Amino acid sequence: MESYFSPASFLNNSNIYEVNIRQYTNEGTFNAFVEHLPRLKDMGVEILWIMPMHPIGKVNRKGTLGSYYSISDFKAVNPEFGSEIDFKNLIAKVHELGMKLIIDWVANHAAWDNVWTKTNPDFFVRDEKGNFEAPYDWEDVIQIDHANVNEQLAMIDAMQYWVSEFNIDGFRADLAHLTPLQFWIDARTTLTPLKKDLIWLAETEEINYHQAFDISFTWKWMHITEQFAKSKSSLADCLKVLNEYKNDFEKDNYRLFFTSNHDENSWNGTEYEKYGEFAKALAVFACMFNSVPLIYSGQELPNKKRLQFFDKDAIQWQLNDIELHSFYKSLYDLRKRNSCFNKNTTIHFYDDLISKNILAYKLSNNIDEVLVFLNFNMASIVEQIGVTNANYINIFTNMKLETGHDFTLALNQGGYCVLEKII
C-alpha cells in the first residue's frame, strides 16, 4: 500500500532496539539505562524504542507494578522510571551519540483511572448501564471511543506534546489496527511539520496502514518460522510467506523482522524456547534481509529467561561478557557500509538448497553483493556451493574466498555464514 508520506531515508539500513526500562537494570530508571548507551552505540544500535513510559493505572492493576500499556496520563512520565528531567536527559544523551529515540503509543485503550475518565468521560465506550468497558479480556484497561472527534484531537495533542517538548523521534503504535487508520493519518499530518523525518512504526500487518506508517511488524513470518523450528511446517512454507510479503507490500513499506520482543519473551517464551538451535540463524536473517531488524532488551547478553511483565524482574547483566555484542555489531556494521541494504537491491534464493533445509540467498545491486547461508538442519552439513564469481570475505571470521575456487559450505546445526563481496 502506497504511503501518503515519505519515509525517512535513514530507515534503509537502520535497526531498532526495544528498551524495557523497568527490567533493564536493578534500579529500573532512565538514569540507570543511560549508562548502557555507549555500549549500545558501539554495538551499532541506531533507534531506541522505549516501551510506554507514562504513569500506570492503579485501578484493576495487574501484579505489583501493573502493565506499561495501562496508561493513566498520556502527558506525564511514570515516576517509577524517574522524572521528566530524567527523561529529557536520556533523550539528550541518545541524540549526543547520534542515535534516535521513539516512544510506544497506546491509542486504543487507557487505564480505568486515566485522567480523562474525570475530565472527559465521553472519550470512552460505555455499556448499556453507562459503565466503562474493557476491550477483549484486558481487565486492566478500558476502551477508547474512536468515534469521538474530540478524543482524537486530544490524543494527537498529547503526541504533539512529546515531539515539541521532549524532542522524541517518532512513535511505535501499539496494536495500530485497533485504532482507525484515519486517526493515524491525521496524527502524522499534524506532527510532520513539527519535526522532519519522524519514525512511524505500526504493530500490525494490515497493509493499508502503510498509508500512515513507515514500518510494520512481520508476525506471520515469526509464527511460520516458529512452526518450522518445531517441525510443524517446512522451509518452503517459510519462503511462501516471504514471497507474499514481496508481492503484497510496496518497496517503501519497511518490514520489522525479529526473533523476540516484550510480548513474545514474557508470554510465549524466549527465542531459544521458540527456535532452539536456530535462534541465531534467524537473527542473522532478520538483519540480512530487506528489512528493519529489531532486537529486544537483553538479547545480546543473551537473556534466556522470560521476564515478568507486571512485576520487577531485572535482566542480570554480565557487562564484561556480552556474548553476542560482536555478533550484532558485525551484522549492523555490514548494513551500514554495504549498499545492498536499500530498496533497489534484488534478492535471489538458491532454490536447490531449500529441500536440504538450507536457506541460501544473494542480495545484489550494481555495486555490492552479500551471500547468506543458514543451516536449518538438526545436524552439521557440508555442501559444495558454486557461487564464487567474485572475491568474498566472511564477516564473522574475516576469512577470504577467492574467485574461481569452489566454496565448501560447512555449518554446524543452526549455523550461519555471511559473505560480503570485496574488490
Side-chain angles (χ1 to χ4, degrees), residues 271-299:
E271 62 270 34
Y272 298 96
E273 289 180 74
K274 295 195 305 177
Y275 304 120
E277 293 295 328
F278 302 150
K280 288 180 69 176
L282 286 167
V284 170
F285 174 84
C287 294
M288 296 288 101
F289 202 63
N290 191 5
S291 62
V292 178
L294 166 77
I295 63 174
Y296 177 50
S297 299
Q299 281 196 269

Side-chain angles (χ1 to χ4, degrees), residues 20 22-23 51-52 54 56 66-71 81 309:
N20 184 333
R22 173 185 292 168
Q23 312 298 22
M51 289 173 65
H54 304 99
I56 294 170
S67 169
Y68 313 80
Y69 296 86
S70 177
I71 294 169
F81 302 152
F309 202 80

Side-chain angles (χ1 to χ4, degrees), residues 17 27 32 36 71 98 104 112 122-123 150 152 182 230 244 311 384 411:
Y17 184 97
E27 299 88 345
H36 287 259
I71 294 169
D104 225 318
W112 287 84
D122 59 315
F123 283 5
N150 288 329
Q152 293 192 18
Q182 189 59 49
K230 295 177 178 177
E244 289 175 13
D311 302 284
Q384 292 296 117
L411 295 176

Side-chain angles (χ1 to χ4, degrees), residues 127-330:
D127 62 19
E128 64 278 2
K129 296 181 179 179
N131 299 315
F132 296 131
E133 285 190 327
Y136 307 104
D137 59 348
W138 306 341
E139 299 172 348
D140 58 339
V141 294
I142 54 176
Q143 178 65 53
I144 286 173
D145 182 2
H146 298 307
N148 189 312
V149 174
N150 288 329
E151 181 280 325
Q152 293 192 18
L153 293 174
M155 185 67 78
I156 293 173
D157 176 70
M159 298 173 74
Q160 183 174 339
Y161 171 75
W162 296 101
V163 176
S164 59
E165 298 298 321
F166 288 76
N167 197 26
I168 66 163
D169 300 298
F171 300 90
R172 178 267 186 184
D174 180 64
L175 295 168
H177 54 279
L178 297 185
T179 301
L181 173 58
Q182 189 59 49
F183 165 81
W184 296 113
I185 293 174
D186 293 344
R188 186 161 184 176
T189 300
T190 301
L191 272 59
T192 295
L194 295 179
K195 187 172 184 178
K196 184 181 178 181
D197 286 345
L198 284 174
I199 300 160
W200 294 81
L201 166 62
E203 185 192 15
T204 188
E205 282 210 85
E206 293 197 14
I207 299 172
N208 61 330
Y209 273 68
H210 273 281
Q211 293 177 61
F213 290 92
D214 303 320
I215 317 167
S216 61
F217 275 51
T218 55
W219 290 113
K220 194 170 184 179
W221 170 256
M222 187 208 70
H223 291 310
I224 194 67
T225 51
E226 181 177 0
Q227 291 175 18
F228 169 61
K230 295 177 178 177
S231 301
K232 296 179 180 179
S233 66
S234 69
L235 189 54
D237 293 329
C238 297
L239 268 292
K240 288 179 183 177
V241 171
L242 293 180
N243 195 51
E244 289 175 13
Y245 285 165
K246 178 183 177 182
N247 294 333
D248 294 344
F249 289 83
E250 300 289 337
K251 283 189 175 182
D252 279 346
N253 298 164
Y254 293 105
R255 311 305 312 287
L256 189 79
F257 282 83
F258 52 92
T259 58
S260 187
N261 58 39
H262 65 274
D263 281 322
E264 287 303 304
N265 172 275
S266 293
W267 307 118
N268 298 326
T270 71
E271 62 270 34
Y272 298 96
E273 289 180 74
K274 295 195 305 177
Y275 304 120
E277 293 295 328
F278 302 150
K280 288 180 69 176
L282 286 167
V284 170
F285 174 84
C287 294
M288 296 288 101
F289 202 63
N290 191 5
S291 62
V292 178
L294 166 77
I295 63 174
Y296 177 50
S297 299
Q299 281 196 269
E300 72 272 31
L301 188 55
N303 170 51
K304 294 188 176 182
K305 73 170 183 175
R306 300 188 187 194
L307 299 175
Q308 294 295 313
F309 202 80
F310 306 118
D311 302 284
K312 183 64 178 175
D313 186 19
I315 298 169
Q316 299 304 305
W317 293 101
Q318 303 293 330
L319 293 179
N320 294 324
D321 186 24
I322 307 295
E323 181 181 330
L324 300 184
H325 181 96
S326 61
F327 169 79
Y328 284 109
K329 182 177 175 63
S330 295

